[in-house]
Amino acid sequence: MNTSMEDAGRCLLSVAWNMRGGAAPSRGEEIREHLRLVCRTTGHAACAWARAHGVGSEEDYLPFLRLADLAYEIDVLLLLASSRLVPDVERDLRRWAEIEELVGRAEELAESTSRFLRGPVTC
């Protein structure tokens, strides 16, 4: 169980490290690259915050864990959207709609975590 800001930071770094990549330029790769950058940057900042401020409360670190979880989910959905045995336009549209919705939620969480870290973090 992840119960500290340090855990949350390490989860974000793990998601960034394990995210698929290397495919031809596409909307999916654009999303992945952005999420890798967000997770890596936020993960390092969360670990720095933990070194300076300690464990943190659940209210502090939960948004960071949610961001890591959401980035992982988006990565999995991108894999499903880009690989299939039988073409299905309706399924592809449904998956991409879900991906874009989750990307919007991830952006909101990234902004929220960034606002939280701006104050006391010194790197």
Side-chain angles (χ1 to χ4, degrees):
M1 186 66 153
N2 299 299
T3 58
S4 72
M5 187 63 83
E6 180 78 19
D7 291 345
R10 293 189 184 282
C11 283
L12 283 160
L13 292 170
S14 177
V15 167
W17 178 260
N18 290 301
M19 200 168 282
R20 289 153 192 83
S26 65
R27 174 69 179 137
E29 278 308 301
E30 177 185 312
I31 291 169
R32 279 191 176 114
E33 187 56 36
H34 179 68
L35 288 174
R36 264 188 225 97
L37 177 63
V38 167
C39 288
R40 192 171 39 248
T41 303
T42 308
H44 283 298
C47 289
W49 188 94
R51 284 190 300 276
H53 302 282
V55 173
S57 68
E58 187 173 292
E59 184 180 332
D60 293 337
Y61 62 77
L62 200 54
F64 293 82
L65 290 172
R66 285 189 179 124
L67 179 58
D69 191 52
L70 205 50
Y72 175 78
E73 183 177 359
I74 292 166
D75 185 45
V76 170
L77 285 172
L78 286 168
L79 177 64
L80 291 172
S82 66
S83 60
R84 57 200 167 281
L85 297 174
V86 178
D88 185 335
V89 174
E90 184 179 311
R91 181 182 57 199
D92 291 345
L93 290 173
R94 215 175 41 245
R95 283 187 179 148
W96 275 103
E98 183 176 7
I99 288 166
E100 293 295 349
E101 179 184 332
L102 293 175
V103 166
R105 286 176 41 202
E107 285 300 316
E108 290 171 7
L109 277 172
E111 289 171 12
S112 171
T113 57
S114 178
R115 278 191 306 274
F116 173 85
L117 291 169
R118 262 192 217 127
V121 172
T122 55
C123 296

